[in-house]
């Protein structure tokens, strides 16, 4: 659920940036996502490790894509304000769910001052998803800041 919460907020940020303006874009994205969901569920039923590995590959591709976009557009992105959806999620929101999708015990709090920072935070979220998918290929559960296994000073 925490990873889904995180991806939902990525979607809200992209929609605020205009990613849902055209019907065809929305239609294709929704139907491709539904198809991908079916493939992952079927894969998981046949071979869970393969399903996690497939998701790891997708998350690694997302990380690389965001990283390349950041390198190519740094100055332009730094000159644009952060969308309100990003501020609401990364700065003003309840950080419990954000902390829950982190696989490591390190507390991460992205700085969000402009659009560049937003894409850095999303890219770094994708890296966290990669680590989760790697861990789930060998473990039944992953650590959380809130499960008592981490020694983190939250205050």
């Amino acid at each position: 659920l925490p990873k889904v919460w995180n991806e939902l907020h990525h979607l809200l940020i992209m929609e605020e940036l205009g990613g849902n303006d055209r019907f065809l874009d929305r239609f294709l994205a929704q139907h491709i996502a539904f198809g991908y969901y079916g493939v992952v569920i079927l894969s998981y039923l046949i071979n869970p490790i393969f399903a996690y590995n497939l998701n790891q590959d997708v998350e690694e591709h997302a990380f690389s894509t965001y990283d390349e976009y950041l390198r190519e557009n740094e100055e332009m992105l730094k000159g644009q304000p952060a969308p309100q959806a990003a501020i609401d999620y990364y700065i003003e929101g309840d950080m419990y769910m954000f902390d829950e999708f982190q696989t490591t015990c390190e507390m991460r709090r992205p700085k969000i001052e402009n659009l560049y920072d937003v894409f850095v935070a999303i890219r770094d979220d994708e890296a966290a998803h990669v680590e989760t998918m790697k861990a789930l290929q060998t473990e039944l559960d992953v650590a959380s800041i809130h499960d008592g296994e981490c020694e983190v000073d939250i205050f």
Side-chain angles (χ1 to χ4, degrees), residues 65-93:
T65 301
Y66 282 116
D67 196 52
E68 181 179 342
Y69 182 73
L70 284 163
R71 283 193 311 272
E72 292 175 358
N73 298 284
E74 182 175 358
E75 290 308 313
M76 181 268 298
L77 293 169
K78 284 184 175 180
Q80 296 186 36
Q84 189 60 46
I87 295 166
D88 292 345
Y89 178 59
Y90 289 110
I91 304 297
E92 298 174 357

Side-chain angles (χ1 to χ4, degrees), residues 3-4 7 32-45 47-64 123 125-137:
K3 184 179 178 308
V4 173
E7 295 295 352
I32 289 170
F34 185 75
Y36 177 74
Y37 176 77
V39 167
V40 171
I41 294 297
L42 182 62
S43 298
Y44 186 83
L45 292 173
N47 183 341
I49 292 174
F50 173 79
Y52 287 126
N53 188 265
L54 175 63
N55 277 313
Q56 177 185 335
D57 289 344
V58 169
E59 300 294 357
E60 286 174 345
H61 178 72
F63 175 87
S64 297
R123 180 205 58 197
D125 290 350
E126 302 303 338
H129 299 324
V130 168
E131 294 307 311
T132 300
M133 294 302 116
K134 284 180 183 177
L136 288 171
Q137 291 174 57

Side-chain angles (χ1 to χ4, degrees), residues 4 20 55 81 99 109-110 113 129 133 147 153-154:
V4 173
N20 69 342
N55 277 313
D99 292 338
R109 292 294 182 264
E113 296 175 357
H129 299 324
M133 294 302 116
D147 66 8
D153 184 15
I154 296 177

Side-chain angles (χ1 to χ4, degrees), residues 7-22 25-26 29-30 83 85 119 122:
E7 295 295 352
L8 167 67
H9 284 85
H10 292 177
L11 177 64
L12 294 173
I13 291 165
M14 295 307 167
E15 285 181 349
E16 187 174 335
L17 293 172
N20 69 342
D21 288 347
R22 296 185 339 191
D25 291 343
R26 290 191 315 273
Q30 290 170 354
F119 279 102
I122 293 172

Side-chain angles (χ1 to χ4, degrees), residues 94-126:
D94 179 358
M95 298 305 283
Y96 182 86
M97 292 291 272
F98 180 79
D99 292 338
E100 277 298 292
F101 89 83
Q102 309 297 321
T103 305
T104 66
C105 291
E106 292 181 35
M107 184 163 297
R108 185 166 72 89
R109 292 294 182 264
K111 100 179 158 149
I112 304 295
E113 296 175 357
N114 52 48
L115 193 54
Y116 180 84
D117 294 340
V118 172
F119 279 102
V120 167
I122 293 172
R123 180 205 58 197
D124 293 349
D125 290 350
E126 302 303 338

